[in-house]
Amino acid sequence: IFNLTPDAFVECLKLAIAWNRPLMLLGGGGYSHTDSARCWTRITAVACGADISANQDIPDHRFYTEYSPAFDMRVDAMLLQDENTQQHIDEVVSEIESHKSAPLITDY
């Protein structure tokens, strides 16, 4: 069973920030535009040095009613089949770790 929640994204981002290396975040979508908005709001907050609790209420705005039935930042985990092979996971982790010690680029 596999599930990648906004909490997991936030923890991954905190780890990447702790490496104290230049970091560029590129967004993407999801199956639900309201869940994607919740996720990217929390990720953006962490990237800006803040943190938004999953229990934080969503402020009133034009699309507020689309966030029903829960009007907070929580995205519930679902039980999904994990289709990642251990080999693929090991390759991804290895690739990420190979960049942790990359030299800083200071001339922009």
Side-chain angles (χ1 to χ4, degrees):
I1 302 299
F2 175 78
N3 196 270
L4 192 55
T5 64
D7 291 336
F9 279 110
V10 165
E11 290 306 311
C12 288
L13 178 56
K14 288 178 180 178
L15 177 62
I17 289 170
W19 290 340
N20 200 28
R21 308 305 265 174
L23 183 62
M24 178 175 21
L25 302 176
L26 302 173
Y31 296 109
S32 161
H33 66 274
T34 54
D35 286 350
S36 293
R38 286 175 168 108
C39 183
W40 279 102
T41 298
R42 292 190 60 205
I43 289 170
T44 301
V46 169
C48 293
D51 203 347
I52 296 176
S53 165
N55 296 321
Q56 176 81 30
D57 288 337
I58 294 175
D60 190 18
H61 64 294
R62 187 171 80 173
F63 301 106
Y64 182 77
T65 57
E66 294 184 32
Y67 289 83
S68 71
F71 296 95
D72 56 28
M73 297 299 292
R74 184 175 15 118
V75 176
D76 294 328
M78 297 179 294
L79 298 177
L80 302 174
Q81 184 64 39
D82 185 356
E83 297 182 9
N84 295 297
T85 65
Q86 188 60 48
Q87 178 183 350
H88 176 69
I89 293 170
D90 292 344
E91 289 170 357
V92 170
V93 169
S94 178
E95 181 68 21
I96 292 168
E97 288 180 341
S98 74
H99 294 288
K100 278 187 357 185
S101 61
L104 288 173
I105 300 172
T106 56
D107 297 327
Y108 298 110

